[in-house]
Amino acid sequence: MEQILANGIYLGAQYAMIALGLTLIFALMNVLNFAHGQMYVLGGFVTYTFYGQLGWPFVVALLASCVTLAVLGALIEKFLFAPVIRRSSREESTMLLAAGLAFFFDAIILLVFGEKQRGVPKIVNGVLNWDFRIIMPYDRILICFLAILSIVGFIVFMQYSKTGRALRALAQDRTAAQLMGVNVERYSMIGFAIGAMLAGLVGGLLVTITGVNLGMGGPTSIKAFMMVMIGGAGVISGAIAGGIILGFMEAIGLAVLSQYGDITYLLIFVSLMIFLAIRPQGLMGKPWG
Amino acid sequence: MPRLSMIQWTGLLVFLIAVFVLVPAYIAASGRTDFYYTLTSVALLSIASAGVWLTFYIGRINIGQGAFALIGAYVSAILVTKAGISFWLSLPLAGLFAALVSVLIGVPILRLRGVYFAMITLVLTQVVTLTALALPVTNGAKGITSIPLPGEISVFGLTVIPDFAGLENPRLAFYYTSCALMVLTFAAMYRLVNSRLGHLCRSMQQNEELASSIGVNIAYIRVIVFAISSFLGGIGGAMFGSIAQSVYPSSFQVTDSVNFMLNCFLGGLGYVFGPMLGTLVLYFGWDLLFELGRYQLLVYSGLLIILMLFLPNGLLSLRIRGKGVAGR
Amino acid sequence: MSNLLEVRHVTRKFGGLTANNNISFSVNENEILSVIGPNGAGKSTLFKMISSFLPTSSGEVLYRGERISNLKPHTVARMGVVRTFQETTIFKSMTVRESIVVAQHLRAKASLAGYFWGTKSAREDVESFGRYADDLIDFLGISAIRNELASNLPQGNLRALGLAIGLATDPKVLLLDEPFAGMNHDETMRMVQLVRKVRDDRGVTVLLVEHDMPAVMSISDRIIVLNFGEMIAEGTPTEIQNNQKVIEAYLGSADDEIGI
Ligand SMILES: Nc1ncnc2c1ncn2[C@@H]1O[C@H](COP(=O)(O)OP(=O)(O)OP(=O)(O)O)[C@@H](O)[C@H]1O
Ligand SMILES: [Mg+2]
């Protein structure tokens, strides 16, 4: 029981971070970022390169992941998404662009890092064993702690900083924000950069535990979509709730259903469908339509 | 009900001659028999893409066609290998089963719109793959292999379709079958889009509330359209399984679902024949880039991105713009 | 039966807000009844409940003695009760004539499959839709815009198109939500004539929400007044104009656009 709880928190915290980035980008520009999972993988590979290959301190490598992805996110927004949004009024166009980007990142990762699974040395050794009720390696606990810290940091940033407030205004109502004097173009770019950065940060954190490989991108995006649907698209609290719920469902499913093979996700999907039939806007989303 | 004009009849005739006479003649002359496989794939993928296009026509972004193609492939494979049913009977059954599943899933999820629907259909593809891995009847990761080739159909002792296994060139037979199915599909699509169902779809795409205020049962039409769409996915998948003589959980993946959507976008969402063109261009483009080896995916996706930047409304929009007709 | 439509103790709550509180009234056949009230009084909500676009929280709406509330919009439309929208709601990339043809959905005799195969009754339907559309276009006097794309029409014509789409369903009761909004004086006068003609020539019973008081006073047989979700008055235009409660309601509201 305690073990499931601990696993749920651990999974939930990292999932929430992925979902946060996705939902931020969605809220700001109505873009469904198919490439989110690939950004996560890229973040993992950057940390792998700096920490695993070059032997730099882990924190520095993590920062490098953040910076790389933030810059990448900003460039993508400025030179790809912004022009396409301007030129085409259909929301599908940005989706297509994002799908193209997902392929593109996959191609780059394939060329630069190859197909193999990559891992890095453990950042801390040892395993916490609390009376055989909770068994968890220390590095997982540390990563979980760092993830929660980042989420808290993100919330504080969105609530209290000037940029955060502008981003929230933008997410709420683009036109109104523009009228209020928010520089829409600039903050869209910043928002996209932050979203991408969050993906890179999780990638960097998790590479120390799960390692990283090319094939992780797509499934990660899909999980992120599920979380966002559970919580309600474009809502920050929803992304966190969605992440934690999915994390717990997975932890419980893996513990209870492991002997039946891979049906955990089937069950999660069926419950998601039933849930969405009753509440199409998700837990915290605004009703629409 | 529109009657085809003289030009349209001619166009159709030229197309049919090209597909059924000229292409096989060219391939026989040049010896490039690998084109059969390529073109057969294009025909089948365009059938599945046509289904995706139809869901676009009611204003839903469908990234779940891979799921229905996989379902169709498995249903046909299971019926042929385990129940010993003729492939030709299993083909419509595969389509119908996919349609049935889509009705069950569609009733709750078709209420979702925009990216919400897109997201859940994307998840669906993944879930069907996982289900195929988990179920005993689909034989898990090992998949179903050594599916026999389609058998003979005869009416009153007269052979209508010969036994594929006895043919010296089953590839040609698959090519003809797939192209015939494609022509049928698109003829039906053209008909459908220009019939009342098509008009109602268009009204729903533009404004669901207004459509229901004029008495359109939007929930019903959505389900019908989604079922037709998935039927086409199932048919395409079943044909593929039969050609490859095997089905695996990875036969159709999320990437395939995304590609079906890309085909429609690329061809243009406003035109019935868009998915056919889009599939042809994307598939051939991908094939041509094969020469580039490890840079294939990079160049391909790069081109896609550039295309989106400069032609956000699809290839056929070029023609429209050229004629000076107002786009949408 | 003279009571064509009956609204019985209808209440609608949105969370803590009561948008309609225990509203009851009835509508006679072939009358033009207006519902007025300040912004946010609950007029559109009432219309949405009558046309089943919103479920009621309690109470019911009867049409010829049958309940039409808490059904599906298309079912109610099929029974002959059709609404138009307050916002300009149109089929953007259809022409005026196409919109009117599509809107005749309910008059179709052939099945959807029949249209696909092009059966005789489907061909007859298509022909009759075309004829009816042309008749309706002439009736509304909008033949100049027959083949215009809806998205290219100016505001005044959009309202006419909205009315045309509603009329194409061949309704018995038509609910018009602010049909004169955004129109200048001349356009309003023309539209008023049109609505009258719809009632007189086609026998359609009209319910109307409107802020344009002169128009309301001239067109209505009876008027119902809502304020903060309560029905505060009911009567002929003259009675309403002299009703103390109504005057207070309007004076109390910040909107002085309404010149009673
Ligand atoms: N879907 C909804 N959810 C929550 N509140 C709503 C909803 N629809 C309407 N309301 C509220 O109910 C009240 C009545 O709204 P309604 O649209 O019926 O007013 P109205 O009389 O039509 O106003 P107007 O003249 O501005 O059109 C308003 O306070 C509105 O904010
Ligand atoms: Mg209103």
Side-chain angles (χ1 to χ4, degrees):
Chain A
M1 185 63 224
E2 289 90 348
Q3 183 67 44
I4 293 178
L5 197 71
N7 286 346
I9 293 175
Y10 163 72
L11 281 172
Q14 29 172 293
Y15 283 175
M17 267 178 84
I18 302 178
L20 270 180
L22 188 72
T23 223
L24 179 69
I25 292 175
F26 178 76
L28 289 178
M29 1 213 341
N30 210 16
V31 165
L32 187 57
N33 186 17
F34 278 106
H36 211 70
Q38 276 76 9
M39 292 179 166
Y40 157 87
V41 173
L42 267 180
F45 272 115
V46 172
T47 297
Y48 159 78
T49 308
F50 284 101
Y51 172 63
Q53 299 292 105
L54 303 177
W56 292 16
F58 176 65
V59 181
V60 179
L62 205 55
L63 274 180
S65 278
C66 293
V67 172
T68 313
L69 266 294
V71 171
L72 195 64
L75 292 178
I76 288 172
E77 200 283 333
K78 181 144 176 62
F79 294 108
L80 296 177
F81 280 101
V84 168
I85 290 175
R86 225 178 301 125
R87 257 171 245 166
S88 157
S89 55
R90 338 173 62 123
E91 59 182 350
E92 292 96 336
S93 304
T94 58
M95 233 178 199
L96 191 61
L97 178 61
L101 270 174
F103 288 147
F104 191 72
F105 285 149
D106 267 341
I108 291 191
I109 295 167
L110 180 67
L111 284 176
V112 180
F113 300 102
E115 273 179 282
K116 280 201 224 105
Q117 164 81 16
R118 309 282 177 171
V120 296
K122 274 187 175 303
I123 39 176
V124 278
N125 284 313
V127 175
L128 172 81
N129 184 343
W130 177 46
D131 211 12
F132 286 98
R133 282 200 267 179
I134 296 182
I135 301 175
M136 197 174 245
Y138 283 122
D139 56 351
R140 287 197 186 212
I141 299 174
L142 179 66
I143 294 300
C144 176
F145 174 74
L146 286 177
I148 294 174
L149 202 68
S150 318
I151 294 174
V152 173
F154 176 76
I155 294 173
V156 170
F157 169 78
M158 287 302 278
Q159 286 295 331
Y160 300 108
S161 76
K162 182 160 160 283
T163 313
R165 279 199 298 267
L167 287 175
R168 276 190 299 142
L170 197 58
Q172 205 143 66
D173 190 334
R174 225 181 156 74
T175 346
Q178 197 156 21
L179 290 177
M180 278 159 49
V182 174
N183 183 343
V184 171
E185 278 166 30
R186 182 156 161 249
Y187 282 101
S188 296
M189 196 168 101
I190 293 177
F192 208 107
I194 294 176
M197 187 191 82
L198 281 173
L201 179 58
V202 201
L205 285 174
L206 284 187
V207 74
T208 62
I209 293 167
T210 58
V212 61
N213 69 62
L214 176 65
M216 287 163 81
T220 306
S221 294
I222 291 179
K223 279 186 190 171
F225 292 163
M226 290 176 92
M227 298 178 245
V228 163
M229 277 188 285
I230 295 172
V235 189
I236 288 177
S237 53
I240 297 173
I244 291 171
I245 290 173
L246 188 70
F248 269 90
M249 284 171 98
E250 226 184 282
I252 295 171
L254 291 180
V256 180
L257 299 167
S258 56
Q259 71 265 40
Y260 302 107
D262 241 344
I263 65 167
T264 303
Y265 261 86
L266 184 61
L267 287 182
I268 292 180
F269 179 75
V270 171
S271 10
L272 176 66
M273 239 172 52
I274 296 171
F275 168 70
L276 286 178
I278 301 163
R279 215 180 146 77
Q281 74 272 27
L283 275 181
M284 324 228 169
K286 282 167 250 150
W288 39 269
Chain B
M1 224 120 308
R3 297 257 162 260
L4 296 186
S5 71
M6 210 48 213
I7 301 178
Q8 284 169 316
W9 274 117
T10 322
L12 180 62
L13 204 66
V14 169
F15 178 76
L16 290 178
I17 291 175
V19 167
F20 289 105
V21 182
L22 297 183
V23 169
Y26 167 77
I27 292 177
S30 65
R32 290 289 306 267
T33 45
D34 58 314
F35 271 173
Y36 278 131
Y37 184 72
T38 310
L39 288 172
T40 304
S41 303
V42 169
L44 295 178
L45 292 175
S46 72
I47 292 175
S49 303
V52 176
W53 185 89
L54 199 60
T55 26
F56 273 118
Y57 210 59
I58 54 167
R60 293 292 187 282
I61 306 169
N62 182 353
I63 327 180
Q65 190 70 317
F68 296 105
L70 195 59
I71 289 175
Y74 268 112
V75 168
S76 166
I78 291 169
L79 285 178
V80 170
T81 55
K82 306 229 160 113
I85 288 178
S86 156
F87 168 75
W88 300 110
L89 182 60
S90 83
L91 185 64
L93 289 178
L96 286 177
F97 190 82
L100 180 73
V101 173
S102 79
V103 170
L104 294 180
I105 295 176
V107 168
I109 69 168
L110 280 164
R111 292 172 56 210
L112 304 174
R113 299 183 195 184
V115 289
Y116 298 83
F117 184 79
M119 281 193 277
I120 194 140
T121 49
L122 190 73
V123 175
L124 179 67
T125 316
Q126 180 81 356
V127 167
V128 170
T129 305
L130 291 174
T131 312
L133 276 171
L135 287 183
V137 69
T138 51
N139 207 15
K142 290 199 281 299
I144 298 176
T145 48
S146 331
I147 305 170
L149 288 172
E152 166 182 306
I153 295 188
S154 55
V155 183
F156 305 122
L158 204 73
T159 306
V160 182
I161 298 174
D163 188 348
F164 277 31
L167 293 175
E168 71 182 84
N169 189 359
R171 284 191 190 192
L172 183 65
F174 274 119
Y175 172 78
Y176 276 130
T177 315
S178 307
C179 287
L181 281 176
M182 177 182 77
V183 169
L184 263 181
T185 302
F186 280 89
M189 289 278 292
Y190 181 81
R191 195 68 199 201
L192 189 151
V193 163
N194 287 298
S195 81
R196 191 157 64 92
L197 182 55
H199 297 311
L200 296 184
C201 292
R202 214 146 77 86
S203 76
M204 284 165 57
Q205 183 196 47
Q206 293 176 31
N207 197 318
E208 289 198 349
E209 280 214 304
L210 184 56
S212 67
S213 86
I214 59 171
V216 180
N217 187 345
I218 52 175
Y220 172 75
I221 302 240
R222 282 196 297 237
V223 170
I224 294 272
V225 164
F226 194 46
I228 297 175
S229 157
S230 309
F231 178 84
L232 294 176
I235 296 271
M239 278 302 293
F240 252 113
S242 171
I243 292 174
Q245 295 188 274
S246 58
V247 186
Y248 303 99
S250 58
S251 292
F252 291 96
Q253 299 175 334
V254 170
T255 323
D256 297 291
S257 282
V258 172
N259 275 328
F260 289 133
M261 174 188 77
L262 290 178
N263 294 339
C264 296
F265 273 116
L266 191 74
L269 297 179
Y271 323 99
V272 187
F273 301 108
M276 208 195 302
L277 182 71
T279 312
L280 189 73
V281 171
L282 270 187
Y283 200 90
F284 255 93
W286 174 248
D287 249 23
L288 285 180
L289 295 177
F290 186 72
E291 314 277 315
L292 297 175
R294 51 204 227 100
Y295 295 100
Q296 189 185 16
L297 183 61
L298 187 76
V299 175
Y300 174 81
S301 54
L303 285 176
L304 264 184
I305 293 172
I306 292 173
L307 204 71
M308 273 324 293
L309 268 179
F310 295 104
L311 266 187
N313 294 319
L315 281 181
L316 279 178
S317 66
L318 278 177
R319 189 194 64 157
I320 290 292
R321 212 182 296 153
K323 275 190 187 168
V325 179
R328 317 220 248 145
Chain C
M1 198 197 292
S2 69
N3 278 0
L4 189 64
L5 197 76
E6 237 187 294
V7 175
R8 279 195 191 162
H9 308 292
V10 162
T11 297
R12 172 73 211 197
K13 296 195 170 118
F14 292 114
L17 177 93
T18 306
N20 275 187
N21 188 16
N22 198 15
I23 309 280
S24 298
F25 62 91
S26 55
V27 186
N28 302 322
E29 189 143 11
N30 229 4
E31 104 177 303
I32 297 183
L33 176 89
S34 293
V35 179
I36 64 170
N39 287 109
K43 308 175 296 285
S44 296
T45 304
L46 179 63
F47 269 28
K48 283 175 197 164
M49 287 190 292
I50 296 176
S51 53
S52 269
F53 269 77
L54 269 181
T56 61
S57 299
S58 65
E60 58 180 0
V61 182
L62 302 181
Y63 170 68
R64 293 188 199 275
E66 264 186 87
R67 182 172 59 82
I68 57 168
S69 50
N70 297 18
L71 302 177
K72 288 272 187 284
H74 67 89
T75 318
V76 176
R78 187 169 290 271
M79 294 168 80
V81 180
V82 173
R83 73 174 282 212
T84 65
F85 294 80
Q86 174 170 3
E87 312 78 25
T88 37
T89 301
I90 45 155
F91 299 127
K92 280 206 190 71
S93 42
M94 293 192 197
T95 67
V96 170
R97 190 168 183 277
E98 280 174 338
S99 308
I100 297 176
V101 167
V102 167
Q104 292 173 59
H105 171 66
L106 287 173
R107 298 160 27 92
K109 295 203 182 62
S111 68
L112 287 176
Y115 283 85
F116 180 81
W117 299 112
T119 59
K120 186 154 165 290
S121 65
R123 288 199 305 274
E124 283 169 4
D125 269 358
V126 170
E127 222 166 87
S128 104
F129 289 171
R131 240 181 297 125
Y132 188 88
D134 292 331
D135 284 353
L136 194 59
I137 286 171
D138 290 342
F139 175 81
L140 294 173
I142 50 174
S143 35
I145 55 168
R146 185 188 307 256
N147 292 318
E148 280 290 328
L149 262 191
S151 53
N152 296 342
L153 293 176
Q155 182 68 20
N157 281 335
L158 286 180
R159 291 280 165 191
L161 176 57
L163 179 66
I165 291 175
L167 271 180
T169 62
D170 201 9
K172 299 289 171 295
V173 180
L174 195 55
L175 307 163
L176 302 174
D177 200 340
E178 307 203 8
F180 313 140
M183 289 187 171
N184 63 28
H185 180 73
D186 287 352
E187 287 169 335
T188 306
M189 290 329 285
R190 217 174 318 125
M191 200 66 175
V192 165
Q193 291 307 326
L194 220 49
V195 173
R196 271 216 196 94
K197 211 163 107 184
V198 165
R199 191 263 309 264
D200 296 343
D201 297 4
R202 306 199 152 223
V204 178
T205 306
V206 177
L207 265 76
L208 188 95
V209 163
E210 205 19 85
H211 284 297
D212 183 332
M213 281 310 133
V216 168
M217 293 304 158
S218 78
I219 199 175
S220 313
D221 298 317
R222 269 187 318 137
I223 296 176
I224 281 173
V225 188
L226 297 189
N227 192 23
F228 291 116
E230 308 278 346
M231 186 169 135
I232 56 169
E234 170 184 3
T236 61
T238 336
E239 286 166 4
I240 294 297
Q241 266 165 321
N242 299 318
N243 185 309
Q244 199 54 40
K245 266 181 163 166
V246 175
I247 295 169
E248 275 166 24
Y250 273 101
L251 288 181
S253 83
D255 285 42
D256 47 6
E257 62 183 284
I258 301 119
I260 291 197

